[in-house]
Amino acid sequence: MNITLTLKKGLDLHIAGVPSGTADKAESRMPQSVGLTPEDFPGLTLKPVVKEGDTVAQGQAILQDKHHPQVNITSPAAGVVKSIVRGERRRLERVVIEINSDINDETVYETAGTDTPVKARALLQSSGLWAMMRQRPYNTVPDPESTARDIFVSTWDSAPLAPDTDHILAESHTELKAGAELLGQLTQGTIYIARKKGSRIPDIEGAAMVDVTGPHPAGNPGIIASNIKPVNKGETIWTLDGITLARIGRLALTGHLDTTCIITLAGSEVKTPGYIKTLIGSDIESLTNGRLTHTTHNERIISGNVLTGISVKRDRYLRFPYTQITVIPEGDDVTEFMGWATLSPKKMSTSRSFPGHFLYRKLFRPDARLLGGRRAMIMSGQYDKVVPMDIMTEYLIKAILSRDIEKMESLGIYEVAPEDFALAEYVCTSKMPLQSIVAQGLEYLRKELE
């Protein structure tokens, strides 16, 4: 079954530092260490099952969920546990593994019998790939005992400066098919695999292929799900990206866990933006060393894209979903006439009040400034222009702020995730932290109802 989905709402941001080349010609950069961050896996309460100084194999369990011990987060590489970092109130912040080339140990998983739901579920949970999926409602790692109504896979990342997955997945038909077959054991519904219209990714037997066109966030799996088969109260769907589906397929076929990833190093502060082949959780220093421009101003390194990514320091690690690093100016040293209201054509804006609005083909060089002050929410309908979902976004935000569960449910809280509101946050006149508001609302709802 093939479905064509055309989305009109959304916005593509034209940012300088577009990666050159293709993913199949990515530069290989193996890190000195890798880091696993529990914060990347919402819904799990993780504890370390190793100690500092332990030697670990690739694919070995490093973290384990306290409430469901069968759910693991595994090591991306063989090496030695360098540090287990805790913050305030002994909150676990990350586990760092120093890679040792003399250690070649690898965990090989038993794949016999994974054509049954019990074995398929156990393989995903023990290997750590279960934690790379998300469920709606709540946008958490799927409940280990849950069954999905449907599963939505997006092979297209439409975010600014994101990698083009066509060259990564075009030759992965066998792995994608095997991954879809394994996930098919865990749902009575349909597996939808979305791709950009015109993509070289082939049809996958047993899955419904969705050809998508439109501006960002057209590639978000939640947006695709909302426009095909929305989530209602009492229902659960799972979402994941095409790279994770291919990893699942390779694991099912070979028993080996693929922990490599191809990312883009992009943005206006990168000398030669392009593709890098590395490992999950690589240290940022290994990936950026020698690739950034030497300037007198400060820079912001973002693990992820400019809309949903996480600001990191050079001594930190690549964060989930392990797809890109974006580097832009910090902007803390900028002084300009009229401040945020400047009419300079260099200013990127969606408002017709600024010349940059009409220079939509220009590649802009935005920085990390807020460019305005937070104020009371203005009901202008501007969110709805960039959120291609059949929900009343402004009223949903107000319901979340007031913690009105009944209104949240009636306005579509079960089908949203913070990433779906990233563009709304960007265009928001009131400068409201919409992604944070939605994340807090989902967590509040989960705790109240579970």
Side-chain angles (χ1 to χ4, degrees), residues 1 28 38 48 84 88 111 116 179 196 266 287 293 325 330 372 384 402:
M1 177 174 63
S28 180
I84 298 175
E88 295 181 0
T111 60
T116 63
K196 186 177 181 179
L287 301 178
T293 58
I325 295 175
E330 185 67 47
D384 294 328
S402 63

Side-chain angles (χ1 to χ4, degrees), residues 294-312:
H294 298 289
T295 58
T296 56
H297 60 259
N298 295 325
E299 60 201 12
R300 176 168 294 193
I301 302 175
I302 303 169
S303 181
N305 63 70
V306 293
L307 295 171
T308 63
I310 300 169
S311 177
V312 294

Side-chain angles (χ1 to χ4, degrees), residues 65-80:
D65 185 36
K66 289 183 179 180
H67 306 298
H68 301 92
Q70 72 272 28
V71 179
N72 296 330
I73 307 297
T74 55
S75 176
V80 177

Side-chain angles (χ1 to χ4, degrees), residues 26-45:
E27 174 191 354
S28 180
R29 284 205 171 196
M30 291 299 106
Q32 296 180 351
S33 62
V34 292
L36 297 172
T37 308
E39 188 181 344
D40 290 341
F41 309 102
L44 300 182
T45 305

